[in-house]
């Protein structure tokens, strides 16, 4: 799978338009459909849990042999109490109870990233937004 190393993509929720900054690409071996599901899920959550008109920012940087993608929003955030559990299947945090969903998306995303020898982590503060970091090994081919 080819995943562009974008130095900055920004998505404005109301327009849902991307603006690409970098043309650099890196090859990642993996299942295209599964990896797409990871990004669709996390970007979708960022949009869903953010007020209209706020930005969801995507950045990709090469760190050693890994492409590290950050997805940052200015949404409702995740409480410190909920953070350790958000990758557990069927877990719904208190801040997200009003939204639709089943609590399986992030659990599936973690399984997919793990299966690709990558890692996924999250930083968040209630009321200030969330940043997901996804690290995937690049191919040296």
């Amino acid at each position: 799978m080819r995943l562009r190393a974008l130095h900055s993509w920004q998505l404005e929720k109301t327009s849902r338009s991307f603006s690409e900054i970098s043309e650099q690409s890196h090859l990642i071996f993996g299942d295209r459909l599964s990896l797409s599901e990871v990004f669709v899920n996390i970007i979708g959550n960022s949009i869903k849990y953010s007020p209209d008109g706020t930005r969801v920012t995507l950045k990709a940087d090469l760190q050693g042999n890994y492409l590290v993608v950050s997805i940052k929003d200015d949404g409702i955030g995740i409480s410190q109490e909920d953070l350790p559990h958000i990758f557990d299947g069927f877990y719904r945090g208190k801040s997200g109870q009003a939204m639709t969903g089943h609590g399986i998306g992030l659990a599936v995303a973690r399984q997919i990233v793990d299966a690709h020898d990558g890692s996924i982590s999250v930083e968040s503060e209630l009321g200030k937004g969330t940043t997901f970091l996804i690290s995937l090994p690049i191919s040296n081919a």
Side-chain angles (χ1 to χ4, degrees), residues 26 60-69 133 135-136 138:
H26 294 286
D61 295 304
L62 192 58
Q63 294 180 9
N65 291 326
Y66 287 84
L67 184 66
V68 180
V69 179
L133 297 170
S135 299
L136 295 165
I138 61 168

Side-chain angles (χ1 to χ4, degrees), residues 1-69:
M1 175 180 179
R2 201 167 278 283
L3 180 64
R4 284 213 162 131
L6 301 174
H7 292 289
S8 179
W9 262 2
Q10 289 190 333
L11 167 67
E12 189 154 350
K13 186 175 180 180
T14 54
S15 67
R16 289 185 168 73
S17 63
F18 287 96
S19 94
E20 186 178 321
I21 308 274
S22 173
E23 294 295 327
Q24 188 177 6
S25 296
H26 294 286
L27 187 64
I28 296 172
F29 284 117
D31 181 72
R32 180 185 311 254
L33 183 60
S34 295
L35 288 171
S36 295
E37 185 176 346
V38 170
F39 291 102
V40 166
N41 180 275
I42 294 174
I43 294 167
N45 282 351
S46 292
I47 294 168
K48 180 166 53 170
Y49 293 105
S50 295
D52 284 342
T54 58
R55 291 189 183 272
V56 174
T57 304
L58 286 74
K59 293 183 182 177
D61 295 304
L62 192 58
Q63 294 180 9
N65 291 326
Y66 287 84
L67 184 66
V68 180
V69 179

Side-chain angles (χ1 to χ4, degrees), residues 114-133:
D114 287 349
H116 287 84
D117 296 323
S119 65
I120 184 170
S121 62
V122 63
E123 300 168 358
S124 188
E125 190 173 337
L126 201 56
K128 294 193 177 182
T130 302
T131 302
F132 281 89
L133 297 170

